[in-house]
Amino acid sequence: MAEAVVRCLRDGRLDGEHAPALAVEGSLQCCPLAAGAMLHIAAAFASQVAAGKAQARGLVVVAFDRSPLVYLEFMRRRSLDTNALDRCVRILDCYSDPLGWKQKIQNQQHQGNSAKQFSTNKENITVYRSVKDVTKLMSSVTELGGGFEEGKKYFSVAVDSISSMLRHASVPSISGLLTNLRSHEQVSSIFWMIHSDLHEPKVPRAFECLSTMVACVEPALVDPVCGESPGNLSVLEQNYSKAKFIVRLKRRNGRVKHLYEDLYIEGNDIKFDSAPSVSIEVNQSLVPKAQFNLELSEKERSDRANVVLPFEHQGNGEPIRIYDGRRSLPEAQRDLSLTAPALVDEIKAPKSGTAKGEIHYFRDSDDEQPDSDEDPDDDLDI
Amino acid sequence: MAAAGGRTLGRSSFSRATSNPVASSSGASGVKIGPNGAAFVSSGIPDLDRILGGGFLLGSVVMIMEDADVPHHLLLLRCFMSQGVVHKQPLLFSGAMKEPRLFLGTLPAPVSSSKEDGRYRAMGAAASSDGQANDEGLRIAWQYKKYFGDDSRAEHKDNKQEFSNDFDLRKPLERHLLNGQNIECVSIQDADTLSGLQDCCTSFLSKLPRKDGGSLTAGRIAIQSLCAPQCRYFEKDWDMVSFIRSLKAMVRSSNSVAVITFPSTVLSNSFCKRWQHLADTLLSIKAIPDEDKDLAKLLTGYQDMVGFLRVHKVAQTNSQVPVILEASTLSLKLRKRRSLVLERLNQAPVDGSSGPSSAASSSCSSQGSQLDF
């Protein structure tokens, strides 16, 4: 469930390690669902923080794609009251006026007046006007984060979305920002959203490198003939109402855990469901070419020596018992005549009497390893 | 090989008569002489040395493709650097981090040779020395003798132990070894271009020229995450390629080995291919999924594996004979959670009732129907 992801974020960082980071990747085909997933994770995390269960004391949301009111509204619907919101959530508003144009226009219009900042009356929303300056963004985020509680307390950061940030800043500067945030001593966890098909393939992969968890929101149905049948709205409809939520968790033991879920919209809310069908094609590509282990352990060697082979003289003075696989041993002896005289290597004098239908078998030498490259012609003295 | 003791059969008129008197002294400086005038330094992982045919070739560039999901390239890099420190070889380390010196604190210490490890090595050496004794009895055609390396000989066991150490990944390397040592650290995170790093490498390598039969001081260069996204030169693809090319040229004419790790997924496909082509030895790390029942059924020892290591290319500069590996994918395991071992992948025994047997019978029947004369 998305629970696992929220739990990881909630638990935060261990001493001496960087903060855990979640990358939510969406695509254009399931764009609203990816946005919904981001809102859900932010809201779930905020409620954990408000309940005091998280390592962080607050959440700083860097909002590029949506107005801050959308976040607050969504969290309110998830039963977070205003007090808790004021206490635990701060939003850095990079949506209303990212490049500072509105303020410039306002300043020009009201040249004589004391130009007040066009700030809202909400306490927990701060407008940020210079998105091209990543260093200043970093300091604003840490400033907001430090303002949650007195003393050195942890806070978490959510960036929504990196794709919008990439319009203004370069990949190295944003990666540097995320790395600095992750290694910042007060940051408990960080999560961001990126739309993978809006960029070159190496860009979302670069951000995946920086993360410890990757959650991909993929369309539920992939349209095989994209765009060729524009009248086919059912696929689009399906893709707008549900999607697959695939999570890759990088664990401390050095392995990667895959989780699969379905995500769908119900009314105004996002819901997660455990997936009925697990995609196995992921694993097929990972299976490398494996060889058979042809060595025998000691136990296996002694077991092999003890195996009673059919058609063989056990050498303990008793009459030959030939087991042909169908009947029990004593009866088979009487049915010797019925067995086919097929496998005859060399004649060995039998102990029991019957003249026809005898099978004589020489066991191969035990010393010879199977598939050894001895040339049988080596014995010839020419 | 002329060094093959009392076996006169191995003396081929085509092999270079290399005298091997430096075998005992080379162990001390951590350089091993191999066939065809090649010199090796240990990678810090004895299994990897064996698989690559002796170790990392001096004068080569080793590139390790990282997997974005797992940090196992750091294990390989740490073992490589620790081996250099243990052998007192000069080391240049560069990483995409603010304080590369802090990374030195994570280097592992060599495993103190306990009785158990000694027994393990003795078993390995004894098995192969038995094999050698049997060879005396078998009549092997003379020209094949020279391909028998002398790594498996029991009398070189002591030298081999010195050449390549097992490292205990849970124990950090002692401080005094790091302090009295020629270790340089360069940070490439805040650099706009790679020219700073290139200058450092040039000055480092100028102290280690290669001379025939000269001093065997070998140097090591370790670069971590060369094209990490947070480096400022990240978008300058051609600059990075030309840096690697000039480093390769400098390393080739000096007595050193360079190990570079890079996250291959953050490069575009064409540049990734260029980087792979520039490598003399190319390894890659692959992540292993956790709690995967299919893989657990397919492979033995799945529980202990931490990842896969693939060997794509092995350096071969002095000879036309390619290195043919038994297996190109190996599993990385932590033996007793502390030292790194590489093993071949072995298929787990298959249930008689499950898939493969029915597949075999169905293929037989289909072939039977085709044989319709």
Side-chain angles (χ1 to χ4, degrees):
Chain A
M1 293 283 280
E3 296 299 314
V5 160
V6 177
R7 225 180 307 131
C8 268
L9 293 175
R10 171 195 79 184
D11 291 337
R13 61 156 29 156
L14 291 183
D15 277 335
E17 281 188 8
H18 286 323
L22 165 71
V24 179
E25 288 184 3
S27 65
L28 284 179
Q29 278 181 308
C30 48
C31 179
L33 286 156
M38 189 67 182
L39 282 172
H40 165 89
I41 294 174
F45 184 78
S47 41
Q48 297 273 343
V49 169
K53 289 193 210 160
Q55 190 191 41
R57 292 281 180 267
L59 173 67
V60 176
V61 180
V62 183
F64 276 87
D65 278 359
R66 270 165 280 285
S67 164
L69 302 170
V70 170
Y71 297 95
L72 295 173
E73 198 45 49
F74 191 85
M75 289 180 192
R76 252 181 233 119
R77 257 186 272 128
R78 284 283 180 97
S79 52
L80 265 173
D81 63 346
T82 326
N83 279 340
L85 277 182
D86 282 344
R87 190 168 37 98
C88 303
V89 178
R90 299 267 185 281
I91 302 189
L92 191 64
D93 180 7
C94 306
Y95 172 82
S96 318
D97 195 10
L99 293 166
W101 290 346
K102 285 189 197 165
Q103 190 182 33
K104 262 192 232 164
I105 295 172
Q106 210 192 4
N107 287 349
Q108 281 175 358
Q109 284 176 353
H110 305 259
Q111 274 191 11
N113 311 350
S114 53
K116 275 205 166 357
Q117 283 222 345
F118 194 76
S119 58
T120 60
N121 48 5
K122 299 255 176 208
E123 281 180 5
N124 49 3
I125 301 178
T126 317
V127 184
Y128 182 77
R129 291 170 207 278
S130 39
V131 291
K132 288 199 193 267
D133 190 346
V134 180
T135 334
K136 196 166 159 212
L137 181 65
M138 165 92 184
S139 51
S140 305
V141 169
T142 42
E143 207 181 295
L144 273 185
F148 277 115
E149 265 190 36
E150 291 306 317
K152 292 246 172 195
K153 292 293 183 186
Y154 287 111
F155 65 96
S156 290
V157 184
V159 182
D160 185 23
S161 63
I162 299 274
S163 297
S164 310
M165 271 181 92
L166 281 168
R167 280 156 56 193
H168 304 291
S170 64
V171 174
S173 52
I174 300 180
S175 320
L177 165 75
L178 293 176
T179 318
N180 290 339
L181 280 175
R182 273 190 78 200
S183 51
H184 194 273
E185 54 209 6
Q186 276 185 285
V187 171
S188 156
S189 54
I190 173 170
F191 54 104
W192 64 79
M193 146 87 117
I194 184 169
H195 292 285
S196 32
D197 41 7
L198 289 180
H199 311 284
E200 295 280 307
K202 62 177 188 168
V203 172
R205 290 198 294 234
F207 288 102
E208 272 181 38
C209 268
L210 299 172
S211 64
T212 55
M213 293 176 276
V214 180
C216 299
V217 180
E218 280 177 19
L221 294 173
V222 180
D223 195 3
V225 260
C226 255
E228 276 197 26
S229 51
N232 187 2
L233 285 177
S234 64
V235 173
L236 278 178
E237 258 185 81
Q238 296 256 12
N239 282 342
Y240 274 147
S241 57
K242 57 181 189 325
K244 292 192 271 201
F245 191 70
I246 301 173
V247 181
R248 278 195 335 246
L249 294 166
K250 303 176 196 179
R251 304 183 80 181
R252 283 201 181 88
N253 62 2
R255 296 194 191 187
V256 182
K257 189 160 170 65
H258 296 268
L259 297 168
Y260 304 94
E261 277 171 17
D262 280 334
L263 144 69
Y264 57 97
I265 296 188
E266 194 178 281
N268 265 338
D269 209 357
I270 305 279
K271 291 262 178 356
F272 287 86
D273 207 6
S274 55
S277 63
V278 175
S279 66
I280 32 178
E281 57 259 18
V282 174
N283 297 335
Q284 297 289 358
S285 62
L286 292 171
V287 171
K289 211 169 59 154
Q291 286 121 335
F292 285 105
N293 184 3
L294 294 176
E295 303 298 316
L296 294 175
S297 66
E298 277 311 307
K299 181 178 178 300
E300 286 167 346
R301 266 194 214 113
S302 57
D303 285 346
R304 187 178 77 160
N306 289 338
V307 165
V308 174
L309 293 177
F311 311 126
E312 192 180 46
H313 177 41
Q314 272 84 29
N316 46 9
E318 291 179 7
I320 298 178
R321 287 177 179 176
I322 299 190
Y323 180 64
D324 60 10
R326 281 174 299 164
R327 287 157 242 191
S328 58
L329 284 172
E331 292 176 8
Q333 199 190 344
R334 276 180 276 124
D335 289 326
L336 215 68
S337 52
L338 297 177
T339 54
L343 308 164
V344 179
D345 257 347
E346 287 187 40
I347 303 292
K348 194 173 96 169
K351 284 236 166 143
S352 62
T354 50
K356 49 181 176 173
E358 288 167 356
I359 292 170
H360 306 281
Y361 185 75
F362 276 149
R363 194 200 271 225
D364 287 339
S365 164
D366 275 333
D367 296 333
E368 185 184 306
Q369 298 299 317
D371 300 326
S372 68
D373 284 340
E374 268 185 16
D375 191 355
D377 292 336
D378 276 345
D379 293 343
L380 298 177
D381 281 334
I382 295 177
Chain B
M1 278 285 299
R7 299 201 305 225
T8 53
L9 285 171
R11 187 68 186 258
S12 149
S13 52
F14 299 121
S15 66
R16 178 184 298 210
T18 53
S19 56
N20 204 357
V22 288
S24 50
S25 63
S26 67
S29 67
V31 175
K32 183 166 81 165
I33 310 287
N36 304 320
F40 297 103
V41 288
S42 170
S43 61
I45 306 168
D47 287 336
L48 188 60
D49 287 343
R50 191 177 29 92
I51 289 163
L52 294 177
F56 288 153
L57 194 62
L58 269 186
S60 71
V61 169
V62 179
M63 296 185 78
I64 302 177
M65 292 167 51
E66 306 171 13
D67 188 311
D69 294 337
V70 285
H72 299 318
H73 58 278
L74 293 176
L75 292 176
L76 298 178
L77 208 62
R78 283 187 190 127
C79 290
F80 174 71
M81 289 167 63
S82 288
Q83 186 70 77
V85 172
V86 164
H87 281 154
K88 301 194 178 23
Q89 290 163 339
L91 175 67
L92 171 68
F93 170 64
S94 167
M97 49 186 76
K98 284 217 175 344
E99 287 291 320
R101 279 263 158 203
L102 297 179
F103 186 72
L104 296 179
T106 61
L107 295 184
V111 164
S112 47
S113 48
S114 59
K115 274 199 298 197
E116 212 175 308
D117 285 336
R119 224 185 315 133
Y120 183 74
R121 284 201 182 282
M123 265 168 42
S128 50
S129 62
D130 276 354
Q132 298 292 49
N134 282 341
D135 287 345
E136 299 288 334
L138 286 178
R139 285 169 289 136
I140 295 178
W142 63 271
Q143 67 258 33
Y144 298 125
K145 278 266 188 175
K146 71 172 185 250
Y147 296 126
F148 277 47
D150 46 342
D151 338 39
S152 53
R153 291 173 61 84
E155 49 260 43
H156 285 307
K157 183 182 71 153
D158 290 327
N159 279 349
K160 185 165 177 281
Q161 242 176 340
E162 257 209 62
F163 171 69
S164 161
N165 294 74
D166 250 336
F167 285 96
D168 185 347
L169 293 164
R170 293 190 303 189
K171 237 179 23 164
L173 197 56
E174 288 144 29
R175 284 275 144 190
H176 71 90
L177 281 174
L178 287 171
N179 288 337
Q181 179 64 351
N182 183 1
I183 302 180
E184 264 179 72
C185 290
V186 183
S187 165
I188 46 176
Q189 183 167 335
D190 294 324
D192 274 330
T193 61
L194 282 166
S195 51
L197 180 59
Q198 189 159 344
D199 293 335
C200 283
C201 291
T202 316
S203 56
F204 180 79
L205 291 171
S206 58
K207 299 179 211 150
L208 301 160
R210 181 183 284 212
K211 291 184 279 232
D212 281 328
S215 72
L216 290 172
T217 327
R220 295 176 188 232
I221 297 182
I223 304 181
Q224 188 232 329
S225 298
L226 183 57
C227 60
Q230 61 261 33
C231 301
R232 296 220 201 114
Y233 55 81
F234 174 66
E235 317 235 90
K236 301 181 188 164
D237 288 314
W238 286 110
D239 284 0
M240 293 195 277
V241 169
S242 69
F243 166 75
I244 298 176
R245 202 167 145 269
S246 60
L247 180 67
K248 187 172 166 175
M250 289 192 289
V251 163
R252 185 63 71 92
S253 58
S254 74
N255 231 20
S256 60
V257 175
V259 172
I260 304 179
T261 75
F262 66 101
S264 52
T265 49
V266 307
L267 295 168
S268 62
N269 281 344
S270 57
F271 277 98
C272 190
K273 276 287 174 209
R274 286 193 163 96
W275 285 53
Q276 289 176 38
H277 189 64
L278 279 172
D280 291 316
T281 302
L282 183 64
L283 308 170
S284 72
I285 307 279
K286 192 98 189 279
I288 194 170
D290 204 9
E291 293 170 24
D292 185 334
K293 295 190 190 52
D294 294 326
L295 270 185
K297 272 195 289 188
L298 182 66
L299 301 169
T300 50
Y302 167 74
Q303 304 301 334
D304 303 320
M305 294 184 194
V306 293
F308 294 128
L309 177 76
R310 283 200 66 191
V311 181
H312 298 265
K313 255 207 279 193
V314 179
Q316 196 71 313
T317 45
N318 288 351
S319 139
Q320 298 278 359
V321 179
V323 175
I324 306 212
L325 302 163
E326 292 179 324
S328 65
T329 308
L330 306 147
S331 67
L332 280 164
K333 287 190 187 175
L334 288 174
R335 183 156 46 108
K336 289 194 221 116
R337 298 192 180 215
R338 49 179 194 161
S339 53
L340 207 55
V341 288
L342 299 171
E343 284 181 4
R344 274 172 54 169
L345 296 171
N346 286 317
Q347 202 156 351
V350 173
D351 238 356
S353 53
S354 68
S357 52
S358 52
S361 57
S362 63
S363 66
C364 283
S365 58
S366 64
Q367 276 182 5
S369 65
Q370 281 168 12
L371 289 177
D372 216 1
F373 292 102

